[in-house]
Amino acid sequence: MNNKEKTNYQGKKKFGKKPSDRQKQDRRKNFYNNPRKSSDIKIGDEIPLKIKRLGINGEGIGYYQRTICFIKGALPGEKVVASITDVHPRFINGEVSKIKKISPDRVKPIDAYAGEVGGFELEHLAYPAQLEFKRDVIRQSLTKFRPEGYKRFELLPTIGMEKPLEYRNKAQFQVRRLDGKVAAGLYKEGTHDLVDLPTCSVQHPLTMEIIRIAVELFEKYNVSIYDEQTHTGSLKTIVVRVADATKETQVVFITNTPELEHVDEIIDELAAQFPEIVSFMQNLNPSRESLIWGDKTLNLRGKDTIREELDGLSFNLSARAFFQLNPKQTSVLYAETRKALELSPDDNLVDAYSGVGTIGLSLAAQAKEVRGMDNIESAIEDANENAKINGIENAHYEFGTAEKVLPKWLHAGFKPNSIVVDPPRVGLDNKLITAILESAPEHFTYVSCNPSTLARDLVRIVEKYDVEYIQSIDMFPQTARVEAVVKLKRK
Ligand code: SAH
């Protein structure tokens, strides 16, 4: 304890006075800057920890001398020895080096490199416990932001998949030479070190088979592979997307230079082995930046798009078009959204953050009118095109941010009685919340992919709406990602 703390403490005792703001500030400063014992810890140290729970990114949380520690690969209830990888004034990161007491929920990960690259961070946790974790993350976020009445919110058990594997319809793998050999996979977390992924249990098997054969062909034809260090070579990334309903598949080669040697022979061989591939495209990305896609996409052979079907609707997916990554759970997600919205034939529905219009179009038959918006112009073109393809005449999509477009519509006299929002991880813009609270549609459903911003947004939303329930849905088994449908009812 330093002198200042002593004075404060004694002062409080003697005079029974509350500490001044200044004193509080000083104490807080001391708390974070003043070394507790734990800050003697250095990178590489090994410390014993008891794991209390899982944090929002799937790491095990334990406390060392009251400092929070995030330990990759550790599970609640376990006693571990953690190897420290990072020390911050307020928290410590580490990874498991030894497990002294093992959780009964620990399972052997299917993928050998689980934990090394993103996308499998919970593969060592039994699936029922993964589902419980996802509900708990929502509970943790609500406890942090405390929207009024949060203790009474009904958190329904997470809806999982019967087979929580092989669900990802798209693989977007970097291609590099590792020790002279062609490799295709993902980067190690937080680095640009490629990990070759010969198998990947969450990917649709066809995407993996195609990539493995493609890698052999790149080797056979000695294709020029991109080198990040020297910014030379051509092939950077291979993208394979399969449409779950039709099995139509698209392969995209993303290249640094326009020419890709022997691409015709490679396409011949791939097409002969995989009749599912109906579209071969090339995307040109000469930039040094780490953005994956460039602006120019060319057709190499076959169609420009693949056809996917969802809930009886057809969608043409171009190489860049956004489409949910887990088609089976997307049907579940939309069914839950439909249930929460309780549409009637006279309803005007807003589909905010619409993407290519999948939610709104799947609900259009049950409403009088659907209007949606998205801030990506090509997504809006696709959404309107998708309405046309499916003969839907009462849905219209407009380019622009939700926070600008909704107030504009309201100003022009549009009266929605139902709204669904499906924002990205940043959650809702404050101006959009204001517009929703002012127009107060009777039914409001919030589809969230980030429990933190959801809990934050609910603080304002509950001024006018009751939370009837929060239904978590597992869109990404084996990962820590959490998706939820929140049913809101006007007070
Ligand atoms: N509802 C769609 C897409 C949801 S993803 C589906 O189920 O497939 C979130 C979408 O929000 C993305 O398409 C993104 O382009 C869009 N977006 C991001 N910020 C936005 C904003 N401020 N206003 C409107 N749309 C936005």
Side-chain angles (χ1 to χ4, degrees), residues 322 324 334 351-356 358-359 373-376 379 400-403 422-424:
F322 172 83
Q324 295 271 358
Y334 291 177
D351 174 11
Y353 306 86
S354 65
V356 296
T358 31
I359 294 184
M373 78 296 268
D374 195 283
N375 70 340
I376 293 183
T401 63
E403 57 272 22
D422 183 10

Side-chain angles (χ1 to χ4, degrees), residues 55 60 85 131 169 175 195 201 235 331 361 393:
T85 53
L131 297 178
N169 55 4
V175 184
V195 178
S201 65
L235 183 63
S331 275
L361 295 175
E393 284 171 357

